[in-house]
């Protein structure tokens, strides 16, 4: 059996993590794999004897993908048995069975985060992917319910959770004694549904009440300049160095910062799965997260603290309660919770359903 996997988004944030997590388990099977993408971004998979890279730099969701996808690449795809995409973009001209993962459907649930035209285009792509796919995978029961709400319940939709990559588990294993620092970490992109504006307001109030911690935003400040003027103005109200940005960082640096932090705050308004709290807890850091439905689903039974979504005062009170004049304790997850979400499980479910059903 030959499976073609669209790897063009291998370096994307959530989608790339999901794909990089699943691929090693895929490739350990006896199947052959065509990886669509750029070989310089797929070097860690080239040593597998069952891997063939099909060079492709056509951007996902582009006009070229829809109308002028290279015939040579299409021929290679259609000579395989199965096409799998970790997102909801499907090149035109594929004639073999298609399987995809839809991580969330936020643009249909919160249309105000994009223009009317942008929402309409995304809805068309969602509908097209839904119709062309034999099975759809998604990362939570919440996302499954929202897909069925907007696109229909006729399609087989299977939940395959996201997970922490093994390198995080290995880092924690090799760093059992962690020197904690007085930092609060926010990890996520700068889109409004991530709730950074709520965190900034709550953090400012906590500082006024004597909190000595600093807020570390893992990401690049420059990206805010054309994206969210309201957040820029809030950032300008912090006169000292109590709020800082890391810029782009490596996985090793990310793990170091997460493990040393006193607390990770995830103030999201909407998510499909939301990996940062899990990564933080695996590395020994407590997580304070909003009480939205998907986070209560994913982190049920985990030692997280919830605050009322969008409630600045409740978030501030919880930050104070957890950190102000309190000893910083390293979190140790049980084996059961640490292993609850694993990419080996996710990959196994995907392969079982595309190969045998």
């Amino acid at each position: 059996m030959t499976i073609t996997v669209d790897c063009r988004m291998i370096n994307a944030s959530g989608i790339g993590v999901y794909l990089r997590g699943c691929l090693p388990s895929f490739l350990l099977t006896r199947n052959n794999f065509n990886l669509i993408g750029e070989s310089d971004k797929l070097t860690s998979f080239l040593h597998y004897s069952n891997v063939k890279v099909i060079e492709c730099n056509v951007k996902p969701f582009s006009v070229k993908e829809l109308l002028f996808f290279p015939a040579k690449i299409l021929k290679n795809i259609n000579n395989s048995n199965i096409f799998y995409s970790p997102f909801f973009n499907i090149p035109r001209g594929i004639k073999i069975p298609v399987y995809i993962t839809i991580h969330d459907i936020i643009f249909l649930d919160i249309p105000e985060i994009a223009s009317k035209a942008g929402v309409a285009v995304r809805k068309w792509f969602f509908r097209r992917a839904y119709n062309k796919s034999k099975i759809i995978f998604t990362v939570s029961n919440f996302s499954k319910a929202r897909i069925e709400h907007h696109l229909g319940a006729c399609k087989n939709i299977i939940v395959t959770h996201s997970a922490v990559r093994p390198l995080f588990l290995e880092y924690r294993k090799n760093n059992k004694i962690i020197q904690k620092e007085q930092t609060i970490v926010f990890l996520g992109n700068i889109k409004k549904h991530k709730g950074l504006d709520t965190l900034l307001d709550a953090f400012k109030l906590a500082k006024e009440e004597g909190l000595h911690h600093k807020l570390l935003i893992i990401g690049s400040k420059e990206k805010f300049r054309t994206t969210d003027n309201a957040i820029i103005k809030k950032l300008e109200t912090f006169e000292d160095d109590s709020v800082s940005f890391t810029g782009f960082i490596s996985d090793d640096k990310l793990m170091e910062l997460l493990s040393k932090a006193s607390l990770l705050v995830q103030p999201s308004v909407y998510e499909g799965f939301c990996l940062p709290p899990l990564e933080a807890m695996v590395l020994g850091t407590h997580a304070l997260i909003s009480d939205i439905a998907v986070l209560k689903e994913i982190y049920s039974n985990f030692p997280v603290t919830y605050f009322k979504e969008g409630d600045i005062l409740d978030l501030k009170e919880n930050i104070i309660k957890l950190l102000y004049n309190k000893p910083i304790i390293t979190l140790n997850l049980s084996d059961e919770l640490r292993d609850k979400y694993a990419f080996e499980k996710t990959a196994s479910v995907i392969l079982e359903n595309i190969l045998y059903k």
Side-chain angles (χ1 to χ4, degrees):
M1 182 75 72
T2 300
I3 303 170
T4 296
V5 182
D6 191 341
C7 298
R8 288 176 292 157
M9 299 185 75
I10 193 75
N11 288 335
S13 54
I15 297 157
V17 167
Y18 185 87
L19 183 56
R20 293 195 303 274
C22 289
L23 272 176
S25 294
F26 286 171
L27 303 181
L28 287 175
T29 67
R30 296 180 179 180
N31 301 285
N32 294 314
F33 288 86
N34 294 331
L35 305 185
I36 304 291
E38 298 173 64
S39 56
D40 61 336
K41 297 177 181 177
L42 297 168
T43 53
S44 58
F45 306 109
L46 297 180
H47 66 281
Y48 288 88
S49 61
N50 57 342
V51 165
K52 174 184 176 183
V53 173
I54 300 175
E55 288 289 337
C56 179
N57 59 7
V58 178
K59 292 182 179 180
F61 301 105
S62 64
V63 172
K64 187 173 183 179
E65 179 185 67
L66 280 176
L67 300 179
F68 309 107
F69 202 72
K72 184 177 180 180
I73 299 176
L74 276 176
K75 183 178 180 181
N76 275 290
I77 293 173
N78 288 323
N79 282 337
S80 63
N81 304 102
I82 289 168
F83 178 82
Y84 170 72
S85 172
F87 211 34
F88 61 99
N89 59 298
I90 304 171
R92 186 176 181 181
I94 295 177
K95 299 176 182 179
I96 58 176
V98 171
Y99 301 81
I100 65 168
T101 295
I102 296 179
H103 295 254
D104 63 57
I105 203 156
I106 185 173
F107 290 100
L108 304 188
D109 274 335
I110 312 179
E112 57 268 26
I113 67 174
S115 65
K116 289 184 178 180
V119 172
V121 169
R122 288 176 174 89
K123 187 171 184 178
W124 184 85
F125 273 107
F126 276 126
R127 175 60 62 186
R128 178 176 181 270
Y130 182 89
N131 290 334
K132 288 185 173 294
S133 301
K134 188 172 182 180
I135 293 177
I136 293 171
F137 302 100
T138 193
V139 293
S140 64
N141 288 309
F142 171 80
S143 283
K144 177 180 178 179
R146 301 315 299 160
I147 293 168
E148 290 177 339
H149 172 77
H150 286 287
L151 302 177
C154 299
K155 193 73 65 172
N156 189 9
I157 302 174
I158 298 171
V159 175
T160 54
H161 298 108
S162 191
V164 171
R165 286 172 287 164
L167 61 94
F168 281 77
L169 301 171
E170 191 66 25
Y171 186 93
R172 182 71 179 95
K173 181 180 178 181
N174 294 332
N175 294 272
K176 294 182 178 179
I177 299 176
I178 300 171
Q179 186 64 43
K180 289 290 188 179
E181 298 177 351
Q182 287 191 322
T183 56
I184 299 170
V185 171
F186 169 86
L187 173 59
N189 60 44
I190 58 179
K191 295 175 183 176
K192 290 183 179 179
H193 68 278
K194 293 295 183 180
L196 179 56
D197 55 340
T198 300
L199 174 55
L200 290 172
D201 288 339
F203 180 68
K204 190 172 185 65
L205 293 176
K207 293 293 287 184
E208 291 172 357
E209 293 191 14
L211 187 74
H212 296 298
H213 291 66
K214 295 183 178 182
L215 175 60
L216 186 62
I217 301 172
I218 297 179
S220 176
K221 185 176 181 180
E222 284 68 31
K223 292 182 179 180
F224 283 85
R225 293 177 178 171
T226 59
T227 305
D228 197 323
N229 290 328
I231 289 180
I232 294 172
K233 290 179 181 178
K234 287 181 181 180
L235 288 167
E236 291 172 349
T237 66
F238 292 91
E239 297 178 354
D240 54 14
D241 63 348
S242 59
V243 179
S244 61
F245 291 78
T246 65
F248 174 80
I249 57 175
S250 66
D251 284 334
D252 285 340
K253 188 63 177 178
L254 170 61
M255 291 185 289
E256 177 190 341
L257 294 176
L258 282 177
S259 63
K260 288 182 177 180
S262 300
L263 183 69
L264 175 132
V265 179
Q266 192 72 42
S268 301
V269 175
Y270 187 101
E271 295 284 352
F273 180 91
C274 194
L275 194 54
L278 184 59
E279 292 176 333
M281 286 188 285
V282 163
L283 293 172
T285 297
H286 289 265
L288 172 58
I289 66 180
S290 58
D291 63 352
I292 57 177
V294 67
L295 296 190
K296 297 190 86 170
E297 172 199 336
I298 297 300
Y299 294 106
S300 173
N301 299 322
F302 278 82
V304 298
T305 301
Y306 293 101
F307 75 94
K308 193 177 298 183
E309 180 264 311
D311 191 322
I312 296 167
L313 292 178
D314 192 43
L315 177 53
K316 181 265 297 183
E317 290 296 331
N318 275 285
I319 291 174
I320 292 291
K321 181 179 179 181
L322 291 169
L323 297 181
Y324 187 63
N325 288 337
K326 295 289 180 68
I328 304 170
I329 300 172
T330 299
L331 178 68
N332 289 297
L333 288 182
S334 66
D335 291 345
E336 179 184 3
L337 290 177
R338 190 185 61 242
D339 299 335
K340 182 175 181 179
Y341 303 115
F343 279 119
E344 292 88 349
K345 297 177 184 178
T346 298
S348 176
V349 172
I350 293 173
L351 286 175
E352 179 183 349
N353 281 278
I354 67 177
L355 292 175
Y356 307 117
K357 294 185 179 181

